[in-house]
Amino acid sequence: MELLLPRQRRLDLRQTRLMAILNVTPDSFSDGGHFTGEQACLTRVNELVAAGAEIIDIGGESTRPGAADVALDDELQRVVPVLSTIRRKFPDLVISVDTSKAEVMRQAAHAGADILNDVRALQEAGALEVAVASQLPVCLMHMQGQPRSMQHQPVYQDVVSEVLHWLVSRAEQCQQAGIPASQIILDPGFGFGKSLSHNYQLLAAMPDFVGSGYAILAGMSRKSMIGQLLQRDVSERLAGSIACATIAAMQGAQIIRVHDVKETADALAIVAATKSGVIQ
Ligand code: YH5
């Protein structure tokens, strides 16, 4: 299993890959600071890569529970210059862009993005068309509701089958539109319109998601499924985040999206050694 990236590059997904979160939102608080300045941004990317990040996920929209929508111009200004700067200094780095807006996707692809990561699964106006034209791999995430209200009483009859079936059917629509199955990543969307119990049912069912045959991304880092279970503030969620990453990777998730790269890289090295039964 591998993703085809621009300029003849590939991302091998036979081993779990580590995606590092790079927030470029003014209200971000769980990325270790703000990186709106270009130099600060490059310094942070250097750190993330040195720590073992294999993909950098740049996001300019806050999709935390309760967050308001971001205007297109604000998101463009936050994401595109930073992306261009990172691409210039790191020609081979795998860069994903966390956006739902077609115009951000279009300009990001032009500025050198490798993956389109969309928490709204390409459902906003024009997004699917831009994604098809870009030929980039896409991550389709499941969300019930919208960030502003999604945590007000999420309801499912069977969260695992509903999320899995929704993702597979969205993937099929994307294939109809021209995105090859091998370029589609699915993501259960931890914390996006899910109760504590829903999140753990989804984590326990990771083998079902992996069994779909699509590449799977899991993003649980520092989320409330850790904080609520353990009664920990955001700054105290590292051990829980590593446990979640380890469980997802052991069950075959191909990409893990995290804040704490160095610590998670160690955990993933243990997972890789365990799976192969050999020390390299
Ligand atoms: C995701 O799961 N999540 S943005 C609340 C937190 C901590 C972190 C403190 N983009 C995902 O990271 N893209 C985001 O509580 C994502 N999968 C994919 N594919 C939200 C986030 C966060 C929210």
Side-chain angles (χ1 to χ4, degrees), residues 19 56 92 105 112 126 128 130 151 163 173 181 194 210 214 219 221 223 258 273:
M19 172 184 274
I56 303 285
D92 294 326
M105 293 178 187
L128 179 54
V130 169
Q151 291 308 102
V163 170
Q173 292 167 6
K194 280 101 184 172
V210 171
Y214 292 96
S221 184
K223 285 186 179 174
V258 304

Side-chain angles (χ1 to χ4, degrees), residues 179-229:
I179 305 176
S182 57
Q183 295 284 79
I184 297 175
I185 303 158
L186 301 183
D187 181 341
F190 292 99
F192 285 86
K194 280 101 184 172
S195 68
L196 185 62
S197 161
H198 295 144
N199 285 314
Y200 283 95
Q201 290 178 63
L202 290 168
L203 179 54
M206 196 55 69
D208 294 0
F209 286 87
V210 171
S212 72
Y214 292 96
I216 301 299
L217 186 153
M220 295 172 279
S221 184
R222 297 185 190 174
K223 285 186 179 174
S224 71
M225 64 183 285
I226 297 159
Q228 245 182 288
L229 187 82

Side-chain angles (χ1 to χ4, degrees), residues 21-170:
I21 299 166
L22 184 70
N23 279 322
V24 292
T25 55
D27 64 331
S28 60
F29 60 89
S30 81
D31 61 355
H34 302 249
F35 297 97
T36 40
E38 316 254 313
Q39 190 48 53
C41 223
L42 286 174
T43 303
R44 180 68 180 151
V45 172
N46 250 319
E47 278 174 23
L48 293 170
V49 170
E54 298 164 306
I55 306 167
I56 303 285
D57 187 43
I58 305 176
E61 180 201 8
S62 177
T63 48
R64 286 167 195 290
D69 290 346
V70 175
L72 173 62
D73 283 344
D74 292 340
E75 200 179 325
L76 284 170
Q77 277 191 12
R78 289 176 194 169
V79 170
V80 180
V82 162
L83 174 48
S84 302
T85 304
I86 296 171
R87 175 53 77 218
R88 192 161 8 97
K89 301 280 177 182
F90 299 86
D92 294 326
L93 182 61
V94 181
I95 302 175
S96 74
V97 59
D98 188 347
T99 187
S100 297
K101 295 186 177 72
E103 184 60 15
V104 177
M105 293 178 187
R106 197 184 64 77
Q107 294 196 27
H110 190 73
D114 294 308
I115 299 174
L116 302 175
N117 172 27
D118 185 2
V119 301
R120 296 180 183 80
L122 305 177
Q123 294 180 105
E124 299 245 308
L128 179 54
E129 291 75 10
V130 169
V132 171
S134 74
Q135 299 193 339
L136 296 178
V138 298
C139 179
L140 308 175
M141 198 196 78
H142 176 275
M143 166 161 53
Q144 184 178 90
Q146 285 292 319
R148 183 182 278 287
S149 57
M150 65 191 175
Q151 291 308 102
H152 304 164
Q153 292 257 327
V155 179
Y156 301 86
Q157 275 209 329
D158 175 346
V159 68
V160 170
S161 73
E162 285 175 47
V163 170
L164 181 55
H165 288 127
W166 187 86
L167 286 172
V168 169
S169 98
R170 187 66 192 143

